[in-house]
Amino acid sequence: MQPSPHQFDVPVSRFQVGSYTLAYRDQHPESTDSDAEVSSRPTILCVHGNPTWGYYYRRVFQHFASTHRVVAIDHLGCGDSDKPPRSQFPYRLENHQQNLADLVEHLDLRNVMLLAHDWGGAIGLGALLKTRERFSAITLLNTGAFPPPYVPWRIAACRLPVLGTLGVRGLNLFAKAAVTMAMNRNRLDPEVAAGLLRPYDSWANRVAIDAFVRDIPMSKSAPTYQTLLDLEQRLPSLANLPSLLVWGMQDWCFRPDCLRRFQQAWPNARSLEIDDAGHYVIEDAPEAVLEAIESFVADVEASTQS
């Protein structure tokens, strides 16, 4: 019997980050395959963005965890991780990158395929560059890893002094809008929408949603501008890694020109452009996305064994 696509019942593990704990899921294959055979396959490391959490990758666990190790992080402030106030944790891109790099080393992950979406692209690629020898492939879903070429008005409005935070943290407008505005081909099932929103049920628990929005650099003087610029300048150094770029082409946030920037940096990347899918591409077109990842992973494995 196939599990419901709504379910996300992978046990939570914890990793200490300073005074706080970061939640992650780590599922290994339960099969008769030998340890050597399993370890020869890529570990799939799932990195979410804002305002999602590890739940966004539940279908990846269902599809791949019987044959591959699958790990998904909840960034500090997100999902089932601790949610310290901003006075106690900076919530900047560089902090999330370091937390992920520390988790990769803590778990001693090797032969890793990064699978990242939204802010997860910049976080995951930054962690990859800190632990380069541990990664063997990259898959990106509607993301960026460079200073934003534009900031949509719907996001800029959430940065307004006082009113922006009241809307994002008080009324949960950013996360609630995402469950409708991030889709195009389909409507998000109400049960899935509830799952995505579940960790963000109070002012205190929405601290990271607001912090991610405010970490978007609107000028060169913003702290994260230089972090993103440095990341962009290092993208060509990753061109030798097998890479897959899956894009919902109706995304109004990470629009197709973001895809083109990755294609320019990685001319040998494989691409799947889904014409009618939106930002939550794995929710909007799950079969196409999972099939593309499965084919890509199979080809990566075949190339390493030949």
Side-chain angles (χ1 to χ4, degrees):
M1 181 176 175
Q2 290 291 331
S4 165
H6 307 153
Q7 290 178 350
F8 189 49
D9 52 5
V10 183
V12 177
S13 299
R14 304 280 176 182
F15 173 61
Q16 197 71 23
V17 177
S19 302
Y20 303 101
T21 60
L22 184 150
Y24 66 94
R25 273 87 175 169
D26 184 2
Q27 192 163 354
H28 299 251
E30 296 181 2
S31 70
T32 57
D33 296 342
S34 68
D35 290 343
E37 189 175 356
V38 171
S39 65
S40 70
R41 304 168 188 157
T43 291
I44 302 174
L45 175 63
C46 305
V47 187
H48 71 85
N50 187 41
T52 57
W53 57 292
Y55 181 81
Y56 184 76
Y57 292 107
R58 67 198 180 283
R59 294 176 188 267
V60 175
F61 279 89
Q62 293 174 1
H63 195 87
F64 289 99
S66 63
T67 53
H68 294 73
R69 184 179 183 181
V70 182
V71 178
I73 187 174
D74 287 347
H75 305 304
L76 208 62
C78 302
D80 290 314
S81 290
D82 286 351
K83 300 174 178 64
R86 292 189 69 181
S87 61
Q88 297 178 25
F89 181 73
Y91 288 105
R92 288 182 179 162
L93 172 59
E94 62 183 353
N95 305 115
H96 295 299
Q97 289 174 335
Q98 189 60 57
N99 288 346
L100 180 58
D102 291 345
L103 178 64
V104 168
E105 293 187 332
H106 169 71
L107 296 176
D108 194 24
L109 301 183
R110 299 179 184 275
N111 189 19
V112 179
M113 185 192 80
L114 173 67
L115 175 57
H117 172 253
D118 191 88
W119 270 104
I123 295 169
L125 290 168
L128 184 159
L129 287 163
K130 293 175 184 293
T131 57
R132 173 67 180 81
E133 72 285 354
R134 296 178 178 272
F135 285 79
S136 57
I138 300 169
T139 295
L140 300 182
L141 316 172
N142 289 72
T143 185
F146 27 74
Y150 47 81
V151 177
W153 67 265
R154 286 172 272 197
I155 292 178
C158 294
R159 294 170 52 98
L160 291 172
V162 182
L163 291 177
T165 294
L166 286 174
V168 172
R169 297 190 68 178
L171 301 175
N172 204 16
L173 294 181
F174 190 84
K176 286 183 176 178
V179 298
T180 57
M181 297 168 66
M183 301 285 284
N184 187 73
R185 175 190 286 188
N186 297 297
R187 287 183 177 273
L188 202 60
D189 185 284
E191 189 175 341
V192 174
L196 288 168
L197 294 173
R198 192 264 296 168
Y200 307 118
D201 58 356
S202 69
W203 174 281
N205 286 345
R206 294 192 277 268
V207 58
I209 295 178
D210 187 44
F212 269 118
V213 172
R214 297 194 174 278
D215 198 37
I216 300 170
M218 304 287 280
S219 69
K220 293 182 179 180
S221 63
T224 290
Y225 182 90
Q226 190 61 48
T227 306
L228 284 168
L229 184 62
D230 291 344
L231 180 56
E232 179 181 27
Q233 292 173 343
R234 297 182 67 184
L235 288 180
S237 71
L238 304 177
N240 63 323
L241 280 177
S243 54
L244 170 65
L245 305 170
V246 179
W247 234 257
M249 302 299 279
Q250 298 303 314
D251 187 351
W252 52 265
C253 183
F254 293 94
R255 300 191 307 225
D257 43 326
C258 292
L259 168 63
R260 305 300 175 222
R261 293 178 77 158
F262 282 111
Q263 290 172 328
Q264 183 176 11
W266 302 336
N268 295 321
R270 183 184 303 185
S271 298
L272 172 63
E273 301 178 13
I274 305 177
D275 291 340
D276 60 346
H279 178 61
Y280 282 179
V281 62
I282 203 169
E283 301 288 357
D284 223 359
E287 293 82 7
V289 174
L290 292 171
E291 287 173 8
I293 296 172
E294 183 175 33
S295 175
F296 175 66
V297 169
D299 288 348
V300 169
E301 291 174 359
S303 66
T304 59
Q305 294 168 7
S306 60

